[in-house]
Amino acid sequence: MNETPRRGPGGFPGTPQTNRTPGMRTSGYGTPSRPNVRTPLNKVPEPAPQTSNGPVIPTHVLDAAQQRFYVFAFYMALWAWRMYDFYNLVSDDQEAFWQFLKWLFIDIVFLFCVPLLEIPWLEWGIWVSVFLFGLHFVLDYMLMYRIGIPFQAWTVGLAAWMWDRELAIDERSVKPGAILHNASLILGKQIINILPEGSAILNPTKQPFCLNSTVTHLDIPIVINQTNPTEIEMVRIDLETNEQEPIIIKARECKSMLKKARKAHKKPDPASPLELHYSVKKTGVYMLKRIIDESKLEVRPRGSSAVVVTCPKARVVPTGGNRCRNDLSNILFEVEGVPPLRLRYRTNVGAIPREATELQGLLPDGYSSPLSKHTSQALIRANREDVTWALSQKVGVPLNETLSASGVYTYAVEEVTDAIGNHVNFLAADEEDRPKLKPAAMHTVTVHERPKVSLKACNAQNPLQVAKGEVIRLPLHYQSSGKGPIECPHIIEYLFTPEEDLLSTGDHASTAQLKRETMRTNREQPLVSASGLYTLKSVSTDFCEGEVLEPASCLLRNPPEPELTITKEDMVDKCAGNPIGLRVALDLIGTPPFHIKYREQRAGKQPSPPQEIQVKSLRSTIELVPREAGHYTYTFLSIRDWVYGERPLQDLELQQEVKPAASARFIDADGVKQVCIEDTAEFDVALSGEGPFTLDYEIVHNGKRTKRSVSVEGQHYTITTPKLNNGGEYIISLASVTDKMNCKEFLKAEAKLNVRHERPKAYFGQIDGKQAIMALEGKKVQLPLRLTGSGPWQLQYENLDTNEVQSVNIRDANTNLPIENQGTYQLLRVRDSVCPGFIDERSSQFSVGWISRPSVSIPESSSMTLQDGKYLREDVCEGDEDSFDVVLQGNAPFELSYEQQFRDLKSGKPTAIRKKDIRALGGSASIRADTAQPGTYNYKFVKLSDNKYDHSARHFSPLFVQQTVNPRPLARFDNPGKTYSYCSRESDGEEVIPITLEGAPPFYLEIDIKHHGTPKSEISSYKNINKHKYDLKIEHRKLNLGHSTITIRKIRDARGCTHKPLPGGPRVQISVHDAPTATAMEDRTDFCVGDRLSFALGGQVPFTVFYTFESQERKATNAGTTFRRLAELPGTFSLAGLKDSASTCIASLNLTKIIHPIPTVRLSGGMVSQLDIHEGTAADLEFSFTGTPPFEFTYTRSTNEVRGRKSRVLDVKTEVSEGYHLSIPVNEEGTYEVVSIKDRWCSFARQVEGLDGVRGKGQKLLKY
């Protein structure tokens, strides 16, 4: 190069110049040669034409620094892709191989193509590319085949090799790892491969199966693996008799089943399992018994079964399609299948569907289903099958609900499921894919309105009047329990008593006739003609009985035919005394008003046209005064009244004659006077003229006229009628009056009175056919009341339970009596607007009761007592579990609220009140007591409601429960951490350990004595401690030389409360001093090679230890209180003496330990052996041992190694051998190897990956 690159502003050197002198030569990837600098400089030559074009991408497009940056970024992206493939790589040799080839190709393309771009600084040579490719080859192989680099294991192993050394018995440093991890102790491995064998299982997914009239056959799956069956033997167990029926599937049918299975098989692997299908047509329990494959070998099927039962079904039992409003539905579902059954049905009212209802656990009476504890498969056992539980059972499910509204009710079964899991859906899809119920699973009920009927415009006081021989419609008024009358035929029943047979009270006679008529429409009415009393008794339609409302009685009368009697008198001029006309008195019988026609004829003249006069009473007077003089003849032609038509009159002719008379009139006699039956009536009469008078009057009733004449001295007279024993209309008419001059004057004045046929009556109606009702307390109840007579009424009634008498005014004959208190209500008396009445004794009482309110109580027991209105719960200890029950009465479910307050035992201050709510579905609830802190807990039950009543503070009395939670006792050392000194022998003045106790004495105390160097602690107990300060003394027999740790293990006080301090709490130390002593830290005498012999030395350091090993005496100096040596070789070790630095005496010792060699085991002679066997045959595992019998060893069976997959431990077993050789037959595939060996004294175990958590069947893994 002719120019040295300099660093540019971007941190990279400037790009070298590409100009070269003509004398320079370049190699493929090398640098240009430099000219001889010692040669004198010639004239600077002109630039020669360029021999190279520089980078493939010109620098004016992208400078060299940016090109190097993009190449590096692309290289990093390749590594990111490479790491992504590494983390997503599945442990599969095939996939790892293709990934490895892919990255080799990518790396070789990248590493050999980058120099071709001629980017400065990236123009490496061919050998650099080869070296980089080799490095990437190694990295790709390790990544794609997931080969880890054990840096940590190498570091730890190196450190252990350099520094892990320990003193052995012969006083030389050895590596314990070489002794403890001697792999040569366990050698050998046996690999057994089992050639593939077939298997078969019936109904592997435990599907439910069922048959019915539609499903007459079905296919049961049989899954086979690695076999081609030529004969299949099955067993069918009959559900009724438990008898076994053998089923043999021959080779031809097996071949057909295999052909169909392979055709339906979609997996490309021919070794994958096949699913055969065997068709069955009978119910029962099917089990595989035996399978013979192509090689004539028997394939042992797995234990399984298929249960085929009758499909569940359900229907609605027809119970009639018509109901009446407020009737019970009376629906019966009949469900059939294997109990327990589950049924879902839906009720539709008209076009409005209700929410579906599901009934579960349907069982016949006395039936106990085994499926409540086991699955159907678990109930099948060989040689003792009892499958009668799978028989189909019928269960009737009644449904009774009140039909409160009219309309069409549809009860439809939607789904039914049996205990096996067979599910039948009764919803079928129509052409528009909308669900439609099958007819057999539904039942329709039409709910009709109840009819009601009463009489209109007719009662006992306003009778119907009809002419004799004519008919009239009985004025019925149709109603119903709905909004209007029912458009359908009505059946009417009524009583009829002829008028002459009526009792004096106006009621029916015992000979009353009961008549029954059917009205085809609600506009049709019964036709009646006979006079008498008609009373409605019942009304019904084709479907429902109805109710008769008041007024229910009607009196029909046949009035007498109209008749006329006339009386005349001359009218004379008082002055001249000449007659001027006739005054005619008309006496009538019939029903006013009357219409009378007469004709006037003058002598010698033609008769005039007939004239008609109207008479509104039974008596009247007309004056016939002609205008002209002459002889006049008056002929009465015909008469008609309100009931009868026009009738001719015979021989009634009059001449005009009059005669002066006095006058008389009624006072205040307008209208009709109402009088009660069997009462009298009074009318005041005013007279005018010259008295004394003779007054003639008449009483007309029912066509009978009674004439009376009285003498009257004054101008006023009161007419008093006799007792009116018959009901109906009475007319009191003034006939004539005669004055002092004996002048008689005919009168027309009359007064009317109406005598009631019967007295008013009151009685209670019925609610749901009864005169009794249960209602919610405090809710106003309407009692149906029925009245007869003329309103308004005054009614008096009494509550017999409280003797409270009340009066009410009523205007409606069919009304309700509102009451607010429970009790039996008695009607006392009634009066309408005219007369006092009577009470129907048969319906005079109505009982009203309250539905009981919910209540809560707490049962008393030995642990729950009631004192001063408060329940006291038995004391408990802090943290103990406790609860108490409350008993609830009423209508479930219940909602109960209570308040909990805690009062601290020490401060006595209460905490805030905590409110809690619980919901109970039954008659009891359990309240969990709070025992977290010591003190007094108060529980106050403040609210209670149930399904009928909300909470009412006025009716609920709170309950109080109190419980005391006692604190747990405490014990502590007064001087924790202090070390107390003791001698090896007991002496006076020894130290005591002061302890403070809290709680209720007497106390029971346990302490834990942990001696240094021993794994097991010792427990010492102290009873009946009656003080809170206690001096603890340790028995010498429980003390060991050296240091011991004393901790408090448990304390219990007089209340029975116990406290166990947590581990690691306060403690004190005990130091027992003696002359130098040595104590073996392990009590055993026998040790193994690799164990450590440890002795605790007592005295003052340093120590001199004298011991012998294999009859050779040795001496060692020990700077600490523990003398430890590693047992490197087997032999006898004896500790003979010990000396410390505090004295020169040597304590004579005789502590002997025997060191045994570690046993060894060889499997297959210590070699790796591989053996292939067939399933059903066995191979022997040969074991040989060294050591001291008996030998206990553990071996594993692992999966055979497969390239790219880790071996997994399948089974672990432990065996015992009394000799040095043992042979064990095995028939399972796997790699067998020994993991541990133990003889009489020693054991050795090596670590095997995947062994944790795996156990052999019935064996235990030994750990040493």
Side-chain angles (χ1 to χ4, degrees):
M1 288 184 177
N2 58 3
E3 186 174 278
T4 302
R6 304 298 181 188
R7 293 181 62 88
F12 291 98
T15 303
Q17 296 292 329
T18 59
N19 295 331
R20 296 178 173 85
T21 61
M24 294 182 179
R25 293 181 296 113
T26 58
S27 60
Y29 290 97
T31 59
S33 62
R34 184 181 297 273
N36 192 346
V37 295
R38 298 179 183 270
T39 304
L41 291 175
N42 297 325
K43 183 178 178 179
V44 176
E46 293 296 330
Q50 297 180 359
T51 60
S52 174
N53 294 327
V56 175
I57 302 174
T59 56
H60 69 273
V61 176
L62 195 66
D63 61 37
Q66 290 181 331
Q67 292 185 35
R68 286 192 294 271
F69 172 76
Y70 286 128
V71 170
F72 179 75
F74 182 72
Y75 181 69
M76 289 293 100
L78 290 179
W79 268 103
W81 185 14
R82 195 191 322 263
M83 297 310 296
Y84 174 79
D85 287 347
F86 169 72
Y87 283 111
N88 289 279
L89 189 63
V90 180
S91 181
D92 189 348
D93 289 344
Q94 195 75 10
E95 184 176 355
F97 175 73
W98 289 111
Q99 291 287 350
F100 175 63
L101 289 182
K102 180 184 76 173
W103 283 108
L104 283 183
F105 174 77
I106 294 174
D107 289 338
I108 196 171
V109 171
F110 178 82
L111 294 174
F112 284 92
C113 289
V114 167
L116 300 179
L117 296 176
E118 297 185 3
I119 300 172
W121 290 22
L122 297 180
E123 298 175 277
W124 52 66
I126 187 64
W127 294 110
V128 175
S129 298
V130 172
F131 171 76
L132 292 176
F133 174 72
L135 181 62
H136 282 73
F137 179 90
V138 175
L139 292 175
D140 288 342
Y141 184 84
M142 296 180 66
L143 288 175
M144 296 303 106
Y145 285 99
R146 306 178 71 90
I147 299 175
I149 303 176
F151 292 107
Q152 183 179 1
W154 291 348
T155 304
V156 174
L158 179 62
W161 179 77
M162 295 178 63
W163 292 289
D164 186 15
R165 291 181 176 273
E166 194 172 337
L167 281 175
I169 294 177
D170 59 357
E171 296 300 322
R172 68 186 180 91
S173 296
V174 296
K175 293 181 179 180
I179 301 174
L180 297 176
H181 305 290
N182 188 358
S184 64
L185 297 175
I186 299 177
L187 293 176
K189 182 185 297 186
Q190 179 70 61
I191 300 174
I192 296 178
N193 295 313
I194 296 181
L195 299 178
E197 294 288 346
S199 64
I201 183 171
L202 176 66
N203 191 20
T205 58
K206 303 297 186 292
Q207 299 179 32
F209 298 98
C210 68
L211 297 172
N212 56 18
S213 59
T214 303
V215 182
T216 58
H217 67 279
L218 50 86
D219 294 335
I220 298 178
I222 304 174
V223 177
I224 62 173
N225 187 23
Q226 300 293 334
T227 183
N228 290 324
T230 59
E231 182 178 302
I232 301 175
E233 183 176 348
M234 300 174 61
V235 173
R236 186 186 76 89
I237 304 175
D238 191 82
L239 298 180
E240 295 183 359
T241 62
N242 283 329
E243 293 182 355
Q244 295 186 2
E245 175 188 351
I247 300 174
I248 298 177
I249 305 174
K250 296 298 183 179
R252 178 179 296 177
E253 188 174 356
C254 289
K255 185 177 180 181
S256 175
M257 292 166 60
L258 282 170
K259 183 178 180 181
K260 293 179 181 179
R262 290 193 181 98
K263 186 177 181 181
H265 191 56
K266 298 181 180 180
K267 294 184 179 179
D269 185 9
S272 59
L274 286 177
E275 184 173 300
L276 308 180
H277 293 278
Y278 176 70
S279 179
V280 299
K281 298 181 179 180
K282 296 181 181 180
T283 61
V285 178
Y286 292 83
M287 294 187 295
L288 278 178
K289 189 174 181 181
R290 191 178 60 153
I291 293 179
I292 304 299
D293 65 1
E294 292 177 337
S295 59
K296 304 302 180 180
L297 295 178
E298 182 175 341
V299 178
R300 183 172 301 172
R302 300 181 187 177
S304 61
S305 62
V307 181
V308 182
V309 299
T310 302
C311 291
K313 57 184 178 180
R315 69 185 186 97
V316 186
V317 179
T319 56
N322 296 284
R323 302 286 189 278
C324 298
R325 188 172 179 175
N326 295 323
D327 280 352
L328 296 178
S329 59
N330 192 24
I331 298 297
L332 178 64
F333 294 103
E334 186 176 88
V335 189
E336 186 173 353
V338 180
L341 297 160
R342 184 178 66 200
L343 172 70
R344 189 174 76 177
Y345 70 93
R346 188 184 300 274
T347 304
N348 294 345
V349 181
I352 302 175
R354 295 182 179 176
E355 185 177 355
T357 303
E358 185 169 294
L359 305 175
Q360 298 185 3
L362 303 179
L363 296 168
D365 293 336
Y367 180 85
S368 179
S369 174
L371 296 180
S372 59
K373 298 181 179 179
H374 305 283
T375 65
S376 62
Q377 306 299 331
L379 296 174
I380 310 302
R381 295 291 184 269
N383 301 323
R384 51 184 183 92
E385 297 84 355
D386 182 12
V387 296
T388 55
W389 54 268
L391 285 174
S392 182
Q393 304 282 341
K394 285 187 178 180
V395 181
V397 183
L399 175 64
N400 278 311
E401 60 177 357
T402 302
L403 306 175
S404 58
S406 61
V408 178
Y409 287 67
T410 302
Y411 298 87
V413 176
E414 290 190 351
E415 292 178 355
V416 62
T417 306
D418 65 5
I420 306 297
N422 293 300
H423 176 81
V424 177
N425 194 317
F426 291 87
L427 291 175
D430 61 8
E431 294 77 15
E432 300 180 359
D433 291 332
R434 291 178 298 182
K436 182 175 67 177
L437 286 169
K438 299 178 182 177
M442 62 182 294
H443 182 63
T444 300
V445 173
T446 302
V447 180
H448 305 272
E449 298 285 356
R450 292 184 179 273
K452 296 182 180 180
V453 67
S454 62
L455 292 172
K456 185 179 181 181
C458 178
N459 53 37
Q461 288 73 42
N462 298 306
L464 290 177
Q465 295 189 3
V466 63
K468 292 180 180 179
E470 295 184 3
V471 295
I472 192 174
R473 295 184 181 276
L474 197 61
L476 298 184
H477 178 56
Y478 294 98
Q479 304 175 56
S480 72
S481 55
K483 294 183 178 181
I486 306 173
E487 294 289 342
C488 70
H490 288 66
I491 301 173
I492 306 295
E493 288 187 351
Y494 60 90
L495 282 178
F496 168 69
T497 299
E499 187 175 8
E500 60 272 11
D501 295 338
L502 291 175
L503 300 179
S504 60
T505 59
D507 289 336
H508 288 279
S510 59
T511 58
Q513 306 172 20
L514 179 63
K515 296 187 177 182
R516 177 187 179 97
E517 293 189 25
T518 300
M519 306 292 105
R520 289 173 294 179
T521 67
N522 56 11
R523 292 175 294 278
E524 189 175 348
Q525 297 173 328
L527 297 176
V528 294
S529 61
S531 64
L533 183 63
Y534 293 84
T535 301
L536 298 176
K537 300 304 292 181
S538 68
V539 61
S540 62
T541 62
D542 292 338
F543 307 105
C544 301
E545 294 289 335
E547 182 180 4
V548 176
L549 304 178
E550 294 291 344
S553 296
C554 178
L555 183 64
L556 187 145
R557 297 182 59 197
N558 295 136
E561 297 180 359
E563 296 181 3
L564 174 63
T565 303
I566 57 176
T567 304
K568 68 175 182 177
E569 70 175 357
D570 296 330
M571 296 178 63
V572 180
D573 188 348
K574 295 182 178 180
C575 294
N578 296 324
I580 59 175
L582 288 176
R583 182 177 288 113
V584 181
L586 303 177
D587 294 326
L588 300 165
I589 294 176
T591 304
F594 300 92
H595 295 268
I596 303 172
K597 289 184 179 182
Y598 71 93
R599 184 174 60 240
E600 180 183 50
Q601 186 177 8
R602 183 179 177 186
K605 300 289 183 182
Q606 291 293 329
S608 63
Q611 301 181 31
E612 184 174 291
I613 59 174
Q614 182 178 359
V615 179
K616 296 182 179 181
S617 61
L618 296 178
R619 189 175 180 83
S620 181
T621 302
I622 61 173
E623 292 181 351
L624 303 176
V625 181
R627 295 182 179 179
E628 297 180 4
H631 182 78
Y632 290 89
T633 301
Y634 296 93
T635 303
F636 291 89
L637 301 175
S638 64
I639 183 173
R640 60 185 175 91
D641 62 1
W642 184 78
V643 176
Y644 293 91
E646 189 170 348
R647 294 172 178 268
L649 296 176
Q650 302 293 331
D651 301 330
L652 288 179
E653 292 183 356
L654 292 177
Q655 298 291 329
Q656 291 184 358
E657 292 181 3
V658 295
K659 147 171 140 176
S663 64
R665 61 184 177 84
F666 287 107
I667 302 174
D668 298 331
D670 297 337
V672 179
K673 190 173 184 179
Q674 300 292 332
V675 181
C676 297
I677 196 168
E678 297 182 352
D679 284 355
T680 60
E682 294 182 349
F683 297 89
D684 292 331
V685 179
L687 294 92
S688 61
E690 185 178 0
F693 300 95
T694 300
L695 178 64
D696 296 325
Y697 65 91
E698 297 175 348
I699 300 176
V700 181
H701 170 61
N702 202 18
K704 297 180 180 179
R705 187 186 304 273
T706 303
K707 297 183 178 181
R708 303 208 174 194
S709 179
V710 293
S711 298
V712 181
E713 296 294 335
Q715 300 294 317
H716 182 272
Y717 181 73
T718 299
I719 297 176
T720 302
T721 66
K723 185 177 292 186
L724 305 175
N725 293 325
N726 295 321
E729 185 182 57
Y730 287 78
I731 299 177
I732 312 297
S733 61
L734 300 179
S736 63
V737 61
T738 305
D739 60 4
K740 180 178 180 182
M741 299 303 294
N742 290 324
C743 292
K744 186 175 183 181
E745 182 70 24
F746 294 100
L747 304 175
K748 297 188 292 183
E750 65 180 21
K752 293 183 179 180
L753 61 89
N754 188 14
V755 179
R756 299 278 295 275
H757 286 82
E758 61 179 0
R759 294 185 180 273
K761 179 175 67 173
Y763 61 94
F764 281 117
Q766 295 182 347
I767 298 178
D768 295 334
K770 300 182 293 183
Q771 289 178 334
I773 189 173
M774 297 293 293
L776 297 179
E777 183 178 356
K779 182 179 179 181
K780 186 176 291 186
V781 180
Q782 303 288 342
L783 303 184
L785 196 62
R786 303 291 180 260
L787 301 166
T788 63
S790 299
W793 292 266
Q794 291 182 354
L795 180 67
Q796 191 177 64
Y797 63 93
E798 178 185 6
N799 187 334
L800 299 181
D801 294 354
T802 61
N803 297 325
E804 180 183 2
V805 178
Q806 293 184 356
S807 298
V808 293
N809 292 324
I810 300 174
R811 295 187 175 275
D812 189 3
N814 299 284
T815 188
N816 293 323
L817 180 63
I819 61 99
E820 296 181 350
N821 298 317
Q822 68 174 345
T824 300
Y825 287 84
Q826 172 75 47
L827 299 179
L828 299 179
R829 54 187 61 88
V830 64
R831 180 183 179 88
D832 65 358
S833 60
V834 179
C835 304
F838 67 97
I839 304 298
D840 189 348
E841 295 297 332
R842 294 173 298 178
S843 302
S844 62
Q845 292 186 355
F846 207 107
S847 298
V848 178
W850 297 146
I851 298 174
S852 59
R853 286 184 172 273
S855 63
V856 59
S857 61
I858 299 177
E860 296 187 46
S861 63
S862 59
S863 60
M864 181 72 75
T865 59
L866 179 63
Q867 294 183 9
D868 299 331
K870 179 186 295 185
Y871 288 94
L872 298 181
R873 180 67 176 172
E874 185 180 20
D875 295 355
V876 296
C877 298
E878 176 186 359
D880 288 353
E881 291 290 334
D882 190 35
S883 62
F884 58 90
D885 295 333
V886 295
V887 178
L888 302 170
Q889 294 181 344
N891 299 277
F894 301 90
E895 292 185 359
L896 179 64
S897 300
Y898 67 92
E899 297 175 351
Q900 175 183 322
Q901 188 178 35
F902 168 70
R903 187 179 298 274
D904 188 70
L905 189 64
K906 296 181 179 179
S907 63
K909 294 181 179 180
T911 60
I913 296 176
R914 297 170 57 190
K915 296 184 178 181
K916 296 183 179 180
D917 300 326
I918 60 174
R919 180 179 176 88
L921 300 179
S924 64
S926 181
I927 307 299
R928 185 177 181 274
D930 192 352
T931 61
Q933 298 179 358
T936 301
Y937 288 85
N938 291 301
Y939 303 88
K940 179 182 179 182
F941 294 91
V942 294
K943 289 184 179 180
L944 177 63
S945 61
D946 65 356
N947 191 35
K948 297 290 186 182
Y949 288 97
D950 294 332
H951 173 71
S952 174
R954 184 165 62 92
H955 298 90
F956 182 76
S957 298
L959 294 180
F960 299 89
V961 178
Q962 180 175 319
Q963 185 180 38
T964 300
V965 177
N966 296 317
R968 295 189 180 275
L970 297 176
R972 63 178 181 273
F973 295 108
D974 290 355
N975 302 302
K978 182 180 177 180
T979 300
Y980 297 89
S981 297
Y982 283 83
C983 298
S984 60
R985 292 183 178 86
E986 188 174 0
S987 61
D988 297 335
E990 289 183 333
E991 288 187 282
V992 294
I993 304 173
I995 295 179
T996 299
L997 306 174
E998 294 181 4
F1003 299 96
Y1004 170 81
L1005 178 67
E1006 285 185 4
I1007 64 171
D1008 187 274
I1009 305 174
K1010 178 68 169 60
H1011 302 296
H1012 181 69
T1014 58
K1016 188 176 181 181
S1017 60
E1018 189 172 359
I1019 299 173
S1020 182
S1021 60
Y1022 302 88
K1023 302 178 181 179
N1024 297 323
I1025 303 174
N1026 295 309
K1027 297 182 296 183
H1028 290 86
K1029 294 289 185 179
Y1030 182 67
D1031 294 332
L1032 180 65
K1033 295 181 179 180
I1034 308 297
E1035 301 177 14
H1036 274 265
R1037 62 182 179 84
K1038 295 183 179 180
L1039 296 177
N1040 291 345
L1041 293 176
H1043 291 275
S1044 300
T1045 302
I1046 306 296
T1047 56
I1048 297 173
R1049 184 175 183 272
K1050 182 172 68 175
I1051 182 173
R1052 185 174 65 245
D1053 63 359
R1055 300 189 185 103
C1057 297
T1058 302
H1059 174 68
K1060 293 182 178 181
L1062 296 176
R1067 60 189 64 193
V1068 295
Q1069 305 293 332
I1070 293 178
S1071 179
V1072 180
H1073 300 280
D1074 201 352
T1077 58
T1079 306
M1081 298 183 70
E1082 295 185 61
D1083 294 336
R1084 59 193 177 106
T1085 303
D1086 297 288
F1087 286 81
C1088 298
V1089 171
D1091 288 347
R1092 291 169 178 83
L1093 305 180
S1094 300
F1095 299 90
L1097 306 180
Q1100 188 172 354
V1101 295
F1103 298 91
T1104 302
V1105 182
F1106 303 92
Y1107 66 94
T1108 60
F1109 180 69
E1110 288 297 291
S1111 303
Q1112 293 183 7
E1113 295 182 357
R1114 286 178 172 86
K1115 181 176 72 172
T1117 301
N1118 198 72
T1121 58
T1122 301
F1123 176 71
R1124 176 179 296 174
R1125 290 294 183 269
L1126 179 66
E1128 177 189 8
L1129 299 172
T1132 302
F1133 174 88
S1134 179
L1135 191 60
L1138 179 65
K1139 183 179 71 172
D1140 63 356
S1141 59
S1143 62
T1144 58
C1145 63
I1146 299 176
S1148 298
L1149 302 173
N1150 187 18
L1151 299 177
T1152 301
K1153 306 295 181 182
I1154 300 175
I1155 303 172
H1156 301 275
I1158 299 176
T1160 64
V1161 60
R1162 300 289 183 266
L1163 173 60
S1164 300
M1167 305 298 290
V1168 177
S1169 175
Q1170 186 167 349
L1171 181 63
D1172 295 333
I1173 63 173
H1174 288 281
E1175 186 171 358
T1177 61
D1180 291 334
L1181 301 180
E1182 300 291 342
F1183 299 91
S1184 59
F1185 309 96
T1186 64
T1188 306
F1191 299 97
E1192 182 178 356
F1193 65 98
T1194 300
Y1195 66 95
T1196 64
R1197 181 176 67 88
S1198 308
T1199 57
N1200 292 334
E1201 292 184 358
V1202 179
R1203 185 178 180 184
R1205 295 184 182 178
K1206 295 181 180 180
S1207 179
R1208 180 169 53 90
V1209 176
L1210 299 176
D1211 197 3
V1212 179
K1213 292 186 179 181
T1214 299
E1215 302 290 346
V1216 177
S1217 175
E1218 298 294 337
Y1220 292 94
H1221 297 278
L1222 180 64
S1223 178
I1224 298 177
V1226 293
N1227 57 5
E1228 292 181 299
E1229 184 180 55
T1231 300
Y1232 293 84
E1233 53 185 330
V1234 179
V1235 295
S1236 67
I1237 177 65
K1238 177 182 178 183
D1239 66 356
R1240 183 177 181 182
W1241 308 111
C1242 301
S1243 62
F1244 173 75
R1246 63 184 181 88
Q1247 295 294 329
V1248 177
E1249 185 177 359
L1251 186 59
D1252 294 342
V1254 181
R1255 298 294 181 265
K1257 300 178 181 178
Q1259 302 292 334
K1260 179 180 179 182
L1261 177 62
L1262 296 178
K1263 292 186 179 180
Y1264 302 98

